[in-house]
Amino acid sequence: MRSLNKMNFITRFSALCLRRKSKMQQSHQSSRRPAVPLGSRILTDPSKVFEHNMWDHMQWSQEEEEQAKEKAAENSLEKVQLEDQDKYEREASKYWNEFYKTHRNNFFKDRNWLFLEFPEILPEKMRQQLKTEDRSSEHTKINTTNSFSHKNGMKEREKYWKKSYGDDSFAQGYVYNKNQSKSVADNPQNQNCEEEVGRLESFPGSDATYRILEVGCGAGNSVFPILKVICNTPGTFLYCCDFASGAVELVKSHSSYNSAWCSAFVHDVCDDALPYPFPDEILDVILLVFVLSTIHPDRMQGVINRLAKLLKPGGMLLFRDYGRYDTAQLRFKKGHCLSENFYVRGDGTRVYFFTKDEIWNMFNLAGLTEVQNLVDRRLQVNRKKKVKMQRVWVQSKFQKPLLLSVNNSEEAMKKYPYG
């Protein structure tokens, strides 16, 4: 009898372990939210909503979802005139230069949350070091950053929101070497590139073993938190670019900028003919944070396709941007809509609001594989004005396969045939 009871206990215990293992595996699938990403402050008592600036993992009711759709449909009824739309496209760099000339580095706060949400930015050894640090302090940084608690930045942002939306309140690897030139020459599609590769053998960061590119670096709010870490990491190099020359000048003039481990340059990612100051397939990480939304929807796929070519096999593209029905979208007045879910602000800069399906489709068509693709819904609170704002972002991680699958594009078209 004891033997039978012991066997029953072992059987039950094994089944319990298997169930727990299954739950742990499910929690890391893209359809579920892992424990670490996107914060951990959950609003369980609505009466305490104004005790913090930000609440994570908010669930919308069907009624809230329908109200958001109605507001977006309403503010999209009146479109910007076509001649004005052409002007915003042609003069996009001018509007962003004016933005940085006006706000300089006072508008955004440094993104110290990057390493918690995107540990892949750093080499594996440094990721392990970060895991030993106190995560609770990092979550505090995330909520502080997203709540715009910086006093000077608060004033700048509030003025900006009033101007843009007309509202009384505001919301908000491997080392490159000569052996690579042989592989390029052997590829029929790159027969004319051998001379170009030779010219780039001494490009900035050519001696590095781990390379990062931030696209749309702005005033350096991601650049400098990254540099603060990698400056003590031999073999790591950061590239950063922006098509607003004023933004690049702000980065280069910063006291933390050092060409020994960083290269900032002006670049228009929409111009396929414009060369990068380094060869293809050398980047370990590309950071694309609140950048793709500024680009015309018709040009987005081309941008992702080009960036995918810069990644080495196994490299990661890390993405975060505005999500569909974010407060910023719903606060636009009539006459600011350029096309579906694409708007122009009062200062001439533009913004698109994504679904995670759109992101999956674009990145998959570029030959990248999903690692993470999440909708981040939060409740942002202005405690002084007692204002609540539903924020929506999309956060994703896509990887370049070690061997490119020819089925990626076919799979994308089958899953999302209408984009």
Side-chain angles (χ1 to χ4, degrees):
M1 180 64 72
R2 288 182 179 179
S3 177
L4 182 60
N5 289 338
K6 185 176 181 180
M7 289 181 65
N8 288 337
F9 171 78
I10 293 174
T11 301
R12 290 196 301 270
F13 182 76
S14 298
L16 178 61
C17 290
L18 286 172
R19 285 197 297 272
R20 287 181 176 177
K21 181 179 180 181
S22 176
K23 288 181 179 180
M24 289 176 66
Q25 290 173 339
Q26 289 177 0
S27 69
H28 290 280
Q29 294 174 355
S30 61
S31 60
R32 297 278 301 274
R33 280 183 174 169
V36 173
L38 312 181
S40 58
R41 180 173 288 145
I42 310 300
L43 179 62
T44 56
D45 185 352
S47 66
K48 297 181 179 180
V49 65
F50 292 109
E51 290 188 3
H52 296 283
N53 295 322
M54 189 78 74
W55 298 94
D56 308 317
H57 301 281
M58 296 300 296
Q59 300 296 319
W60 286 19
S61 66
Q62 185 175 352
E63 181 181 2
E64 288 174 321
E65 192 86 31
E66 290 301 321
Q67 288 176 350
K69 289 180 181 179
E70 289 175 6
K71 287 183 179 179
E74 182 181 350
N75 69 22
S76 301
L77 288 175
E78 184 181 337
K79 298 293 192 299
V80 175
Q81 295 294 320
L82 289 178
E83 54 267 30
D84 290 329
Q85 293 197 34
D86 292 339
K87 179 187 70 172
Y88 292 129
E89 175 68 17
R90 291 193 316 270
E91 302 179 4
S93 61
K94 184 192 80 171
Y95 290 115
W96 279 107
N97 270 316
E98 290 176 353
F99 175 91
Y100 289 111
K101 183 179 179 180
T102 301
H103 301 287
R104 296 189 65 79
N105 57 357
N106 296 321
F107 191 80
F108 300 110
K109 192 175 180 182
D110 283 352
R111 294 166 176 158
N112 295 305
W113 51 266
L114 280 175
F115 304 117
L116 181 63
E117 297 295 339
F118 295 140
E120 297 86 354
I121 292 175
L122 302 174
E124 180 62 30
K125 185 176 180 181
M126 296 208 67
R127 297 178 210 169
Q128 297 303 323
Q129 293 176 2
L130 286 177
K131 286 181 180 179
T132 63
E133 296 179 359
D134 184 4
R135 291 186 182 275
S136 62
S137 64
E138 293 295 338
H139 278 294
T140 301
K141 289 179 183 177
I142 291 177
N143 288 313
T144 302
T145 300
N146 285 329
S147 66
F148 304 139
S149 61
H150 191 271
K151 292 182 179 179
N152 294 331
M154 177 88 73
K155 294 177 181 178
E156 290 286 334
R157 285 183 289 272
E158 186 162 3
K159 291 178 183 177
Y160 181 70
W161 273 82
K162 288 179 180 178
K163 179 180 178 182
S164 296
Y165 305 104
D167 202 281
D168 292 334
S169 59
F170 74 101
Q172 281 295 314
Y174 61 177
V175 181
Y176 177 83
N177 54 47
K178 293 183 180 180
N179 291 331
Q180 279 185 266
S181 63
K182 184 176 183 231
S183 63
V184 172
D186 289 341
N187 189 333
Q189 296 179 346
N190 294 303
Q191 289 179 356
N192 298 323
C193 297
E194 190 167 1
E195 291 183 5
E196 181 70 8
V197 170
R199 183 183 69 81
L200 290 170
E201 286 181 356
S202 60
F203 62 90
S206 58
D207 294 331
T209 56
Y210 195 89
R211 301 183 186 92
I212 309 159
L213 167 66
E214 186 192 8
V215 178
C217 60
N221 303 99
S222 296
V223 170
F224 298 114
I226 295 174
L227 285 181
K228 186 177 180 180
V229 176
I230 72 169
C231 66
N232 297 316
T233 309
T236 305
F237 197 87
L238 173 66
Y239 304 97
C240 57
C241 66
D242 202 290
F243 81 147
S245 58
V248 175
E249 289 170 6
L250 285 173
V251 171
K252 287 187 170 182
S253 65
H254 195 281
S255 58
S256 299
Y257 182 82
N258 190 321
S259 59
W261 47 73
C262 182
S263 175
F265 57 98
V266 177
H267 191 87
D268 183 357
V269 294
C270 293
D271 187 350
D272 291 340
L274 193 63
Y276 285 83
F278 47 80
D280 288 353
E281 294 198 331
I282 69 156
L283 297 178
D284 294 89
V285 174
I286 295 176
L287 190 62
L288 195 63
V289 176
F290 295 102
V291 175
L292 195 62
S293 57
T294 69
I295 295 171
H296 193 286
D298 291 346
R299 307 181 78 174
M300 290 179 183
Q301 186 65 60
V303 170
I304 300 302
N305 292 347
R306 182 67 187 96
L307 292 177
K309 293 178 182 179
L310 300 176
L311 286 171
K312 65 173 61 171
M316 296 280 287
L317 201 159
L318 308 176
F319 173 88
R320 185 173 174 85
D321 219 318
Y322 294 103
R324 189 68 47 85
Y325 309 132
D326 176 62
T327 290
Q329 178 179 10
L330 304 184
R331 292 205 169 181
F332 275 107
K333 303 301 182 183
K334 291 180 180 179
H336 285 264
C337 185
L338 299 163
S339 59
E340 191 173 2
N341 303 304
F342 191 42
Y343 300 81
V344 62
R345 302 184 181 96
D347 62 357
T349 62
R350 300 171 300 173
V351 58
Y352 186 86
F353 297 88
F354 296 96
T355 66
K356 71 173 188 176
D357 291 347
E358 289 173 329
I359 296 305
W360 187 94
N361 194 29
M362 277 192 287
F363 285 51
N364 197 274
L365 284 172
L368 304 179
T369 302
E370 176 190 334
V371 176
Q372 179 190 84
N373 194 23
L374 305 171
V375 177
D376 182 6
R377 297 180 186 266
R378 304 194 188 199
L379 181 66
Q380 184 177 335
V381 174
N382 185 327
R383 290 189 279 180
K384 182 178 180 180
K385 296 184 176 182
K386 302 298 181 185
V387 174
K388 294 182 286 185
M389 297 158 283
Q390 296 282 5
R391 305 313 310 269
V392 185
W393 297 290
V394 177
Q395 180 170 301
S396 311
K397 304 176 184 182
F398 284 79
Q399 187 171 33
K400 187 171 186 175
L402 293 175
L403 293 174
L404 182 63
S405 172
V406 296
N407 295 323
N408 276 6
S409 296
E410 294 179 4
E411 182 184 354
M413 293 304 295
K414 288 178 181 178
K415 188 170 182 180
Y416 302 110
Y418 303 107

